[in-house]
Amino acid sequence: MAGRKKTAAAAVPVNTSTDVVVPVGKGGFVGHVVGHLVGKALPYAAPWAGAATLPPLAGVATNTMWGDAPLSAGLASAALAVGGAALTGIAWKTTPAGTKFGKFRRAQLSASVAAGMGWLTTATAAGPFGSPVLDAWLIGGALFAASWNVRQVVRNGASGDTEETNGGMAALAAAIGWEKTTVKDAKGTGKGTVKASVQVEPGATIEAVQGTTGRVAAALQVPPSGVIVTPDPENASRGTISLRVADLLKDGVPFAPPVAFGLLPTEPIPVGLYADGEVWALDPFSAEILQHVLVMGVTGAGKSEFLRSLVAHLATRRKMTIFLVDLAKGRQTVGHIADGIDWLVQDAKTAKRLLRALPAAIKARGDVLASEGLDQWTPDSSLNAVLVWIEEAADVAEFDELEEIARKARSVGIWLGISLQRATWGNVSTDVRANLQASVCFGVDKPGDASFGLPDSVTDAGAIPAWGSARPGYAYSTGMGIPQDRWTTEVRSGLTDREELAALVAAGASYRDPLDEATATALGQAYAQRAHKGTNRTTPGVPAAPVAVEAAPAPVEVGSAPASADSAYDIEDDEHMTATEQAADTEIQEAYDEVLGSIPGDPEPDAPYASLGLDDEVPDIEDDEDGGMTFDVAAPVGTEEARHILYTELDGWVRTGRLEFEPADLIPATTAAGRKRPWMQGELKRLVELGLIQRDGHGSYTILHSPLQPA
């Protein structure tokens, strides 16, 4: 029909049948059977019809024209003999013979041409119906037709092999230099892909074939990622070549909503489609080993769209809790579904609190699972599954800290996701990356960047998403319950609608379980004092508190709605601060500057003790005018009372929301207790061992629990 849109599947080669369909009609069953037999026989009748009619007609014609005169007959026979030899040579040279069947076909065709021209030469001079010319026609013609029938049977699959025609896989193999490579059994899947078997001869390797995928793609005029060669794990000389000849995903992939509310975390999570139209689903919590995921891709490649799909699905499930850290654009990316996120972090200080509290939570969860007789988390546990998603992790945590979390969190049901543009060693250490066994790699600018996120087996096969942001949403994905033979198949994440996701997350509030008590208690003050609290079935109508942002991003103008599916993936940052919010931030900043400006500077900035810290020794000062001054020092009190003074100071900070401190901040409390620096250092060490505070690599501390209100 004119005007009908041509689908991508129309470009897929399809094996057409030569069957002739005969309607049953009045002939009933007999007529149907006869028609079926005729349809099957017709393709094999052509060689017999040709052998029966062409030689005698040609022989009668040439004998009539030149056979009466000896001179004419001789000259015509000589000319036909030379022409027959030339025609035989042409048939030999022009017939492809890249396979064993091709060599047989070339020999058969050349022999048929030579025999036919030889008989015609003889029939021109002697006549076609005399003996032995007539006998040669009857016997030779029958053998000729029968041989071509045998070829047809073999071609149609009776031998299990597939014939390669000119322009097919054999011709392609010859064109790109696969002298020691055999390509056979090429079949279209009907879903935009053609697959064929590849076998190399002794002296060649499948790895060498993988290195030629670029030339194959150029020869077939398909994208570089459209040619994938995967080795056979059981036979090093064999493999499979996959040619994507049609893009079924180019018009975009719709978001697939959950099939039901209240599913468990162990149910698959549909997040898009494969290039062949199958559902791209993640199933991390059902795998034998929970595999942390590394998500990588340039700006505009589709990472945020993927994250929104993932969060929206998990936010409608039972026994599931989501923590999300995004210091750059958290509200812009997931602001409309923030109610489904139990702890949304948008400032560096809170992000560090979360990561420092996780080791204690991991230990506590391990103890609970041990008491429940479980080696790893399952839905049978009293604990929730937890997703901890970190955007640009290098800006949030130390590598050693991330490596410890990734290594220990797996068995206790904490799924770690790290998203960044390039997973180089400067952004994620090799130790951390070794613990991120699953991956989703969107478009990258350089082919080599893909090796930071995808296994070598995937990139060696030619699955390299080196298209940058030109194909948003397209990616390769590994691990998380995905069968390994699907790792080299392109995927595309679904396009989401902000209002649809917001309504979905709101409806899921009545199904979301609050974080289990054991984990919440272990996370301590950092979790209890979080600014953002998502909704769940115990607090379905409580909106999430606004998250304090250290620095508001500059407003960005958003243009009109996207004109295509691809451009929709680029609209990831379309929520902006209102004028009221900007004015409030400005007012806060001015007040902050005013307070700091009222604090006088150091009256003696050049004094030798001006830069001393609590742990530094006080130098001897020869010309100290105040050297004879004495200070009243509080009389020492008992150990328990001294500790109570110190703990009261820490508890007061907790109650006011202060969780970070340095040892120097405890000087007044230490002095009030009649103690000195060594005693305070011993108490800090004791509190660390009790899990009430945590020391970072720079000598500062984070309060996990109030010493007066221990977990």
Side-chain angles (χ1 to χ4, degrees):
M1 182 181 292
R4 176 175 295 178
K5 183 176 179 181
K6 183 179 179 181
T7 62
V12 181
V14 179
N15 293 329
T16 58
S17 174
T18 55
D19 295 351
V20 175
V21 179
V22 180
V24 176
K26 296 182 180 180
F29 177 76
V30 175
H32 175 67
V33 172
V34 172
H36 177 73
L37 294 176
V38 171
K40 288 292 186 181
L42 280 178
Y44 298 95
W48 293 92
T53 57
L54 292 179
L57 291 177
V60 169
T62 55
N63 180 260
T64 301
M65 295 177 62
W66 300 302
D68 293 340
L71 179 60
S72 298
L75 292 175
S77 298
L80 289 173
V82 174
L87 190 60
T88 301
I90 292 174
W92 178 271
K93 288 292 185 181
T94 57
T95 304
T99 64
K100 293 180 179 179
F101 191 88
K103 294 177 181 178
F104 165 77
R105 176 185 54 197
R106 180 172 64 181
Q108 181 190 28
L109 180 61
S110 301
S112 299
V113 172
M117 291 303 297
W119 183 88
L120 183 61
T121 300
T122 304
T124 300
F129 301 118
S131 182
V133 178
L134 179 61
D135 300 331
W137 167 47
L138 295 175
I139 298 174
L143 293 176
F144 163 82
S147 69
W148 282 90
N149 283 165
V150 171
R151 175 180 176 274
Q152 286 175 296
V153 172
V154 174
R155 181 188 62 190
N156 290 336
S159 68
D161 293 331
T162 301
E163 179 189 6
E164 318 297 346
T165 59
N166 189 21
M169 298 302 298
L172 173 63
I176 60 178
W178 286 355
E179 293 84 359
K180 295 185 177 182
T181 303
T182 301
V183 182
K184 60 182 180 180
D185 297 333
K187 297 178 181 178
T189 64
K191 297 180 179 180
T193 303
V194 175
K195 292 187 177 182
S197 299
V198 178
Q199 183 163 0
V200 295
E201 298 178 3
T205 63
I206 293 295
E207 287 74 15
V209 177
Q210 289 179 326
T212 64
T213 54
R215 295 202 298 269
V216 179
L220 295 177
Q221 300 181 6
V222 299
S225 60
V227 179
I228 304 297
V229 177
T230 54
D232 186 336
E234 298 181 357
N235 189 331
S237 68
R238 295 179 180 177
T240 301
I241 182 171
S242 176
L243 310 174
R244 183 175 53 76
V245 296
D247 188 355
L248 304 183
L249 310 178
K250 64 180 180 179
D251 294 328
V253 175
F255 170 74
V259 296
F261 287 97
L263 298 175
L264 289 170
T266 48
E267 293 293 330
I269 311 166
V271 289
L273 294 178
Y274 283 96
D276 56 10
E278 296 296 325
V279 175
W280 171 31
L282 313 180
D283 196 5
F285 291 103
S286 291
E288 294 183 2
I289 299 177
L290 178 60
Q291 296 176 320
H292 302 314
V293 60
L294 171 64
V295 179
M296 194 176 74
V298 300
T299 300
K303 301 190 301 296
S304 295
E305 196 75 67
F306 167 76
L307 174 60
R308 284 191 280 264
S309 294
L310 182 62
V311 170
H313 274 278
L314 295 181
T316 65
R317 301 194 173 193
R318 296 182 292 122
K319 300 183 74 67
M320 186 73 225
T321 299
I322 303 172
F323 299 162
L324 193 148
V325 178
D326 190 347
L327 307 187
K329 52 181 182 178
R331 291 174 58 204
Q332 296 172 344
T333 302
V334 295
H336 54 298
I337 54 176
D339 281 356
I341 301 172
D342 189 48
W343 194 355
L344 176 59
V345 179
Q346 292 182 252
D347 64 277
K349 180 183 294 186
T350 307
K352 292 183 182 297
R353 289 180 178 180
L354 187 159
L355 294 177
R356 289 173 183 173
L358 277 178
I362 292 172
K363 182 179 183 304
R365 289 171 66 89
D367 293 341
V368 172
L369 291 174
S371 67
E372 295 174 340
L374 298 174
D375 293 331
Q376 62 182 21
W377 182 89
T378 72
D380 296 331
S381 172
S382 62
L383 303 174
N384 279 13
V386 178
L387 168 63
V388 179
W389 192 273
I390 306 174
E391 292 284 337
E392 299 299 337
D395 299 335
V396 177
E398 300 290 336
F399 290 159
D400 292 343
E401 192 173 39
L402 280 177
E403 192 273 333
E404 179 185 4
I405 293 172
R407 177 167 43 85
K408 296 180 178 179
R410 183 179 297 111
S411 63
V412 298
I414 296 180
W415 184 28
L416 179 63
I418 292 179
S419 175
L420 69 172
Q421 294 189 28
R422 296 179 72 237
T424 60
W425 64 269
N427 293 328
V428 177
S429 70
T430 54
D431 290 336
V432 174
R433 201 159 58 226
N435 284 282
L436 304 175
Q437 298 176 314
S439 61
V440 181
C441 189
F442 292 90
V444 295
D445 286 332
K446 299 179 180 179
D449 290 347
S451 62
F452 294 122
L454 293 172
D456 292 341
S457 61
V458 175
T459 55
D460 289 345
I464 301 176
W467 50 70
S469 59
R471 304 176 70 204
Y474 285 84
Y476 289 102
S477 184
T478 69
M480 299 174 290
I482 299 174
Q484 190 165 352
D485 60 356
R486 303 294 277 167
W487 291 5
T488 55
T489 303
E490 282 184 4
V491 296
R492 192 174 191 183
S493 61
L495 282 165
T496 62
D497 178 80
R498 303 182 77 84
E499 294 182 358
E500 178 185 2
L501 293 193
L504 187 65
V505 170
S510 59
Y511 297 89
R512 287 192 292 272
D513 291 316
L515 181 61
D516 57 273
E517 185 177 352
T519 305
T521 302
L523 289 172
Q525 300 297 331
Y527 179 76
Q529 295 183 3
R530 69 194 188 281
H532 174 92
K533 299 180 180 179
T535 62
N536 52 60
R537 61 176 174 80
T538 61
T539 57
V542 179
V547 179
V549 184
E550 291 184 344
V556 181
E557 294 184 3
V558 180
S560 58
S564 66
D566 285 352
S567 63
Y569 284 90
D570 298 328
I571 310 296
E572 297 182 349
D573 307 325
D574 57 352
E575 288 189 8
H576 307 289
M577 299 185 65
T578 64
T580 303
E581 291 173 326
Q582 292 179 357
D585 283 351
T586 302
E587 184 177 351
I588 293 173
Q589 185 64 38
E590 291 176 352
Y592 177 77
D593 295 338
E594 181 179 354
V595 172
L596 289 183
S598 65
I599 299 176
D602 190 346
E604 298 180 280
D606 299 327
Y609 52 78
S611 60
L612 292 180
L614 180 66
D615 296 335
D616 299 330
E617 296 292 339
V618 179
D620 295 332
I621 304 176
E622 297 179 358
D623 299 329
D624 185 3
E625 298 178 356
D626 300 326
M629 295 181 63
T630 59
F631 297 88
D632 293 333
V633 180
V637 297
T639 300
E640 293 303 323
E641 186 176 353
R643 287 177 177 171
H644 183 76
I645 294 174
L646 187 67
Y647 295 173
T648 300
E649 183 76 5
L650 296 174
D651 183 68
W653 291 344
V654 169
R655 293 179 184 276
T656 60
R658 176 182 177 182
L659 299 182
E660 290 80 19
F661 69 93
E662 295 182 357
D665 299 332
L666 290 174
I667 292 177
T670 303
T671 304
R675 296 297 195 270
K676 295 183 179 181
R677 176 168 56 90
W679 177 84
M680 182 187 66
Q681 290 177 333
E683 286 301 311
L684 292 178
K685 180 179 180 181
R686 178 173 176 273
L687 292 175
V688 170
E689 292 174 350
L690 292 174
L692 299 178
I693 64 174
Q694 182 178 14
R695 188 179 188 275
D696 66 13
H698 303 286
S700 61
Y701 291 82
T702 298
I703 304 174
L704 302 180
H705 299 276
S706 168
L708 297 183
Q709 300 173 3

